[in-house]
Amino acid sequence: MYMDAVVFAGIATVLLMVVFFVGVGVFVMRDQKAHGEEHQKKGLKTGGKPA
């Protein structure tokens, strides 16, 4: 396979996108653990359904 600067740039772009989305997923999971119970208890106190 012919390895050109464009091929390296494409591979780097794909890897950066994967790292970005994994980082967003980790952030969402940590935030959900930190604030998930708070919202569940709040919704149950008022009798509403948790989102």
Side-chain angles (χ1 to χ4, degrees), residues 2 10 13 15-19 25-26 30 32 34 38 41 51:
Y2 183 68
T13 302
L15 289 176
L16 284 172
M17 286 190 295
V18 168
V19 169
V26 169
R30 286 186 181 175
Q32 187 176 8
E38 182 180 303
K41 289 179 184 175

Side-chain angles (χ1 to χ4, degrees), residues 17-47:
M17 286 190 295
V18 168
V19 169
F20 174 76
F21 284 114
V22 167
V24 169
V26 169
F27 172 77
V28 168
M29 286 174 45
R30 286 186 181 175
D31 190 58
Q32 187 176 8
K33 283 183 183 178
H35 301 287
E37 281 186 27
E38 182 180 303
H39 291 294
Q40 261 185 345
K41 289 179 184 175
K42 192 178 199 181
L44 293 176
K45 284 182 185 176
T46 59

Side-chain angles (χ1 to χ4, degrees), residues 3-17:
M3 297 302 277
D4 196 5
V6 176
V7 175
F8 287 127
I11 292 170
T13 302
V14 170
L15 289 176
L16 284 172
M17 286 190 295

